[in-house]
Amino acid sequence: MQSLNVHDLNNTRKAQLELVFFNRVPKVGSQTFMELLRRLSERNNFQFHRDAVQKVETIRLAEEQQHELAEVISDLPEPSVFIKHVCYTNFTKFNLPTPIYINVVRDPVERVISWFYYVRAPWYFVERKAAFPDLPLPHPAWLKKDFESCVLSGDQECTYTQGVTVEGIGDHRRQSLFFCGHAYECTPFNSVGALERAKYAVESQYSVVGVLEDLNTTLSVFEKYIPRFFEGVREIYDTSAEYLTKINKNNFKPPVSERVKEIVRRNFTNEIEFYQFCRQRLHKQYLAAHLPDKISPRLRP
């Protein structure tokens, strides 16, 4: 406990812009966090920006596109929040000021199960079809798949082969990709190289990486380490918890047995290690911020 140093754990102080960049991972409760940020923007007087919904979501960008994205974000008025599904983008590489990086993670096996049923939910296709009328409807047999049978039958969709590379947001298995970055070395599934790059980015660049399963700790750390944007977040959540917990909730997701989850976990060793690394760091930040006589109630960069 006494070795915890709040200064070392506070990357908010490194930011050169009064701007939060939330490069959100899918299926980690990010819709709820977006709604919290929208409400906080009114309370704490900052601007709220999110990327438009796209027909094909590209999360790993070419260098020219990375530069363009970094410039767009850097040009936003301060203070602002910008939210987009995209890999970690290094602004310093393009001689641009650094924003306040944040994100949220989730148990990787629970996340792939959530994604599996999310893309099969009827309302998901209604929304997608309304936004993009030319999208074809999926085959009924695909819609009727269940996760347990998919895993136990060796279906390719639920076979998480080590080192496989699949581009696009549809490759939901690689949570670490959103932290590792845009390099090709980040693409192989469950690789040690991607794991280490992702850990380094979290430790050296991210102000806070929240954990969906530790929501109270997450909200407390956001409020302590980024007060300019997150002051009052616990109060807002507590007064609207019933509504916020229902955002994007999929009532079509059946339970999955621990036996099947354990089969999947065997192929997610490095993804699980990354998740546990983020969880440990979050708890270190929480403990450091609550040590008596160590810091003021409000952490300033």
Side-chain angles (χ1 to χ4, degrees), residues 12-45:
T12 308
R13 62 189 170 81
K14 298 178 182 179
Q16 299 164 318
L17 290 171
E18 202 173 36
L19 193 150
V20 167
F21 180 18
F22 180 16
N23 67 311
R24 64 185 183 116
V25 177
K27 304 313 300 168
V28 298
S30 61
Q31 293 278 2
T32 297
F33 281 93
M34 280 203 300
E35 177 60 18
L36 283 170
L37 282 165
R38 187 190 65 76
R39 297 186 184 195
L40 285 166
S41 70
E42 298 171 1
R43 175 183 176 131
N44 294 337
N45 192 30

Side-chain angles (χ1 to χ4, degrees), residues 44-280:
N44 294 337
N45 192 30
F46 60 84
Q47 292 194 23
F48 176 90
H49 306 269
R50 62 166 297 185
D51 194 33
V53 176
Q54 298 176 33
K55 186 176 180 180
V56 178
E57 195 91 49
T58 303
I59 60 169
R60 198 170 71 87
L61 307 177
E63 189 156 324
E64 183 179 339
Q65 294 170 308
Q66 294 173 48
H67 193 175
E68 182 181 340
L69 174 65
E71 285 187 330
V72 166
I73 296 172
S74 298
D75 287 342
L76 291 174
E78 298 179 62
S80 286
V81 165
F82 184 82
I83 304 167
K84 177 179 173 61
H85 287 309
V86 70
C87 295
Y88 162 71
T89 304
N90 186 345
F91 284 47
T92 305
K93 182 166 108 174
F94 304 111
N95 296 314
L96 291 169
T98 306
I100 300 166
Y101 293 102
I102 69 167
N103 216 320
V104 182
V105 295
R106 179 181 188 177
D107 178 288
V109 174
E110 297 295 340
R111 181 173 166 267
V112 295
I113 295 169
S114 178
W115 180 271
F116 181 91
Y117 286 111
Y118 172 70
V119 295
R120 288 170 166 81
W123 50 265
Y124 173 81
F125 288 105
V126 170
E127 290 180 359
R128 293 285 291 170
K129 197 72 175 172
F132 309 106
D134 59 328
L135 277 178
L137 289 173
H139 194 281
W142 182 85
L143 286 172
K144 292 177 182 177
K145 277 187 191 180
D146 72 274
F147 188 78
E148 293 219 356
S149 298
C150 188
V151 171
L152 295 173
S153 67
D155 188 307
Q156 187 175 357
E157 184 179 359
C158 305
T159 302
Y160 304 102
T161 306
Q162 305 301 287
V164 73
T165 60
V166 181
E167 292 298 325
I169 201 168
D171 183 28
H172 50 278
R173 69 197 71 186
R174 297 178 301 172
Q175 184 167 232
S176 63
L177 178 63
F178 285 81
F179 302 87
C180 180
H182 301 273
Y184 179 78
E185 289 78 8
C186 296
T187 59
F189 169 62
N190 204 50
S191 75
V192 173
L195 165 69
E196 294 305 323
R197 283 172 177 250
K199 281 183 177 180
Y200 179 76
V202 169
E203 199 156 50
S204 64
Q205 301 299 321
Y206 279 80
S207 293
V208 178
V209 175
V211 175
L212 181 62
E213 290 84 358
D214 282 332
L215 192 57
N216 288 334
T217 303
T218 292
L219 297 180
S220 178
V221 171
F222 270 123
E223 192 165 22
K224 285 283 188 179
Y225 284 75
I226 319 175
R228 172 65 185 85
F229 293 87
F230 283 93
E231 184 175 55
V233 67
R234 286 175 296 176
E235 179 185 342
I236 290 174
Y237 184 83
D238 289 343
T239 56
S240 305
E242 186 176 356
Y243 165 73
L244 291 168
T245 54
K246 291 179 180 177
I247 294 177
N248 232 18
K249 184 177 180 180
N250 187 0
N251 293 318
F252 295 91
K253 186 177 78 170
V256 175
S257 69
E258 283 302 315
R259 170 175 165 256
V260 168
K261 288 180 183 179
E262 188 55 39
I263 291 170
V264 176
R265 285 191 187 103
R266 294 170 195 161
N267 284 347
F268 275 75
T269 51
N270 290 315
E271 287 291 328
I272 291 170
E273 182 176 335
F274 175 69
Y275 166 75
Q276 294 294 357
F277 169 83
C278 292
R279 192 166 188 166
Q280 183 182 57

